[in-house]
Amino acid sequence: MTALCCLGVCFVLLLKVSAGFGDLRCPENVSVDSLNTRYVLRWDWPHETTANQTVTFTAQYIAEFRSRKAKHDKLWRSVCVNNSEHRCDFTRAELHYQGLYLLRVRANTSQQSSSWVQIGFCPDKQAALGPPSSVKLNAVKEDLEVTITDPLSSNNQSMKTLLDNNLSYLIQYWRRSEGPQTAKVLLTPNNVATLIDLDRQTWYCVRVQSRYEYYDKNSVFSDTHCARTKGQMPYWQIFLFFMASLLLCFLLALLLCFCFYKMFRLLKNTFWPAIQLPEHIQELWLNDSEKPQLLSPASPESVCEPLVMVNAVLDEVEAMDEQSVNAEEQDSSAHSRTGSSDSGVYSTEEDSCHRSTTHTDLQMSSKKHRAQLHDGTLMELCV
């Protein structure tokens, strides 16, 4: 009877153990995401659970040398307990950078727990190295002085002290117009480095990478910083800048002169037009009593009078006509005295006829010529 009771108790215990560990699956893809002294344990849990079960996770760690003891189960230290996220931050555990540790994680429900998933972790070997926390450039004559601040731990401690001063820096520098593809490099263990053999008055860009030679770890590059070197500018550059400035000033002055000329012409044509009214019309406008009155277009009165502009040529033509008439009269009288001595009456009549005919022709010719001259100078003036 006693033996049967013992067997029943053992069977119940086995059922509880199988119910506690046999059904719930373990987390997968467990890894450590680390940078300097910041460590985050990550895992995946793609398994399905029943609707009334909530899965949480527990993460622990232990030093590797302590795990070799017989009763090491009580030496594990929990960092995350019943955590619903698929990550656990081990930064606050303050793991020694050059130590060796074991990290483990399991899934939990209200009734079950999965088995532990365990990995080894050595920060000195596995943790990623960060870039310098700060990079500054200072132009010293024709050179550039690069000041580098060490990458910092989670406690704002220099990583160089944790790496036993085995930290060095790879400096890349190039002209800003060329790009990092043509960059030159400088490897230095110091926090202050000087870049030499640079061009004067030229912009250079710099970025820095942290390097740990013992485990061959390289960080990503820092942000790019640019600065301009000092020193006297070459004479050909000074001459080129002077000519460019002179040309620019000349073009600007030419543009200002052109704008001033256009403005002056506009003002002059507006207030002092080139075409002026005749003097007698200006006198009419100046005399208030003789100002012309505007008439309606339908008024029957004539509002235009002919204005004849006599040129000096007309006076010369009239003088020439008078001289021609006088010459003809003299010729006619002389001819009448010498040519007709027999019949005085006939000669006198013939001379009179000839003289009248010649005088009439000259008058008609003069009038015709005067009319031709007057046609070009006759115009009407509306008053």
Side-chain angles (χ1 to χ4, degrees), residues 175-189:
R175 290 184 180 179
R176 189 166 64 176
S177 59
E178 296 178 351
Q181 293 80 10
T182 59
K184 299 180 181 180
V185 296
L186 174 65
L187 184 63
T188 176

Side-chain angles (χ1 to χ4, degrees), residues 236-250:
W236 67 270
Q237 290 186 2
I238 297 175
F239 177 76
L240 183 62
F241 288 147
F242 174 75
M243 293 302 297
S245 302
L246 189 63
L247 179 61
L248 183 61
C249 293
F250 174 75

Side-chain angles (χ1 to χ4, degrees), residues 104-290:
R104 66 182 185 179
V105 61
R106 73 178 181 183
N108 305 312
T109 61
S110 59
Q111 298 178 355
Q112 297 175 335
S113 297
S114 69
S115 59
W116 294 98
V117 178
Q118 179 176 295
I119 62 172
F121 178 61
C122 178
D124 186 27
K125 183 178 181 180
Q126 297 175 245
L129 182 62
S133 57
S134 176
V135 176
K136 296 181 180 180
L137 298 181
N138 184 27
V140 180
K141 295 184 179 180
E142 300 177 5
D143 303 329
L144 282 180
E145 185 179 79
V146 185
T147 303
I148 305 171
T149 303
D150 298 329
L152 303 177
S153 64
S154 58
N155 298 326
N156 292 328
Q157 181 182 2
S158 173
M159 290 299 298
K160 184 175 287 188
T161 60
L162 299 178
L163 298 174
D164 297 332
N165 294 323
N166 290 328
L167 186 64
S168 60
Y169 300 102
L170 180 68
I171 303 174
Q172 283 188 350
Y173 59 98
W174 64 92
R175 290 184 180 179
R176 189 166 64 176
S177 59
E178 296 178 351
Q181 293 80 10
T182 59
K184 299 180 181 180
V185 296
L186 174 65
L187 184 63
T188 176
N190 303 320
N191 291 88
V192 179
T194 302
L195 306 179
I196 60 175
D197 297 333
L198 304 180
D199 295 335
R200 294 172 292 182
Q201 298 292 332
T202 306
W203 282 92
Y204 283 89
C205 295
V206 176
R207 63 180 184 178
V208 184
Q209 180 188 55
S210 303
R211 298 174 64 91
Y212 182 36
E213 301 292 344
Y214 187 80
Y215 285 111
D216 195 19
K217 291 196 297 185
N218 301 324
S219 71
V220 297
F221 281 98
S222 65
D223 296 334
T224 301
H225 301 270
C226 298
R228 186 178 182 180
T229 57
K230 297 181 179 180
Q232 185 179 1
M233 185 179 296
Y235 292 109
W236 67 270
Q237 290 186 2
I238 297 175
F239 177 76
L240 183 62
F241 288 147
F242 174 75
M243 293 302 297
S245 302
L246 189 63
L247 179 61
L248 183 61
C249 293
F250 174 75
L251 294 178
L252 183 61
L254 188 64
L255 179 62
L256 292 177
C257 292
F258 178 77
C259 295
F260 179 76
Y261 173 75
K262 286 293 185 181
M263 185 63 67
F264 175 77
R265 289 290 301 274
L266 179 62
L267 294 176
K268 182 179 179 182
N269 293 333
T270 302
F271 297 102
W272 297 280
I275 301 176
Q276 300 291 338
L277 293 174
E279 294 183 358
H280 64 281
I281 297 178
Q282 293 182 7
E283 292 178 356
L284 290 176
W285 283 104
L286 293 175
N287 190 358
D288 296 337
S289 61
E290 298 180 0

Side-chain angles (χ1 to χ4, degrees), residues 344-380:
V345 177
Y346 175 77
S347 299
T348 303
E349 292 178 354
E350 183 180 359
D351 185 24
S352 302
C353 181
H354 180 268
R355 190 168 49 244
S356 61
T357 303
T358 305
H359 183 68
T360 302
D361 293 339
L362 289 175
Q363 287 182 349
M364 292 180 63
S365 172
S366 176
K367 289 181 179 180
K368 182 177 180 181
H369 182 64
R370 188 179 303 173
Q372 290 179 356
L373 293 176
H374 287 182
D375 289 341
T377 57
L378 183 62
M379 67 178 180
E380 292 184 353

